[in-house]
Amino acid sequence: MDDVGVSVQDQQLRAARELSTSKLLIGVSSGLSLLGALVMIVHFVVYQESRRCGRRLLFCLHLADAGAACAWLLVFLLPTVDDDTDPNEVHTATTCTAQGYALVFFQLASCLWTACFAFHLFQLLAGRCKAPELYEDRYHFVAWGIPIATVAHLYTQALAGTGLVGESGRPWCWIRSWSDDQWIIEGFYIQLVIFYVPVVLTFLHNLVTYVMLLYLMTDSLSTSMETRVHYRLLLYSWAYFLPNVWVVFAFAYQAVAPKHALNAPLLYLISFFTPLQGLMNAIVYGMNRTVSNSKPCFESLLQS
């Protein structure tokens, strides 16, 4: 696809132009995720019985998913790169920077809210916690605080002259892994610490929490109930694993690939599955019998 003399940055910009299919996949997946998240947000607002502690946590999860979906959709507002475009103008575009910060913030928040919900289930079912809402402030501190601190760090670095967020060599803007037309190991480590380590640790936390929950509850559940709980927890794990495994694998692959180029099939997998996180969360966390049996409480909303 590229000549030997072409720089890594030029290869990335050309790939972003040529692989327009990934933008279509992003549009479809993020549009579905936004729709799913908005449905669950509206359900929380309209139905009073959805406002218990666990549902309040999931409301925040769906808010983060809606924000992430909107951030993904910004890919269609990014300036078009052509042969006459100055790369520096593309890198410093306001929309590009906004998308990079928004993706980091909302994707981290979505991941962390799944961890908070997993811990909430453990406290409620295995720990027999009588007042789970006592932990709610801590959940907000972790799930919103860590993304805020991460974005604040990136912004502080930008003010100091080190722009870490910008054109990433993919159709969307993200944490940069190159400088002066060269892929740099420092950018790899920044992405690793800021985003990918938290994503992997969150998955391990959720998985261990659900396994421990099943182990501790085995003796207290009937066979049919145990099967239902096992199935539900398995869905929670898959809803997290499937959208994130491709982006983590691509991150590791690109670090060792020749010229650090990302191949098209892997790019398409990321473009489809990663923005689909919101839809999967809406289906897995939102679909249960209480949703279909809920009754609207418009009178209560008007009085509140």
Side-chain angles (χ1 to χ4, degrees), residues 23 26-27 29-31 33-34 63-78 94-108 151 171-174 274-275:
K23 286 189 176 183
I26 290 172
S29 297
S30 54
S33 289
L34 181 59
L63 279 180
D65 288 335
C70 291
W72 280 109
L73 288 173
L74 287 177
V75 72
F76 295 102
L77 299 180
L78 296 178
T94 302
T95 305
C96 178
T97 304
Q99 185 189 38
Y101 285 126
L103 282 177
V104 171
F105 178 83
F106 287 113
Q107 285 192 275
L108 271 180
V151 170
W172 59 90
C173 294
W174 184 243
T274 304

Side-chain angles (χ1 to χ4, degrees), residues 118 196 229 283 300:
Y196 293 100
V229 171
I283 293 175
S300 299

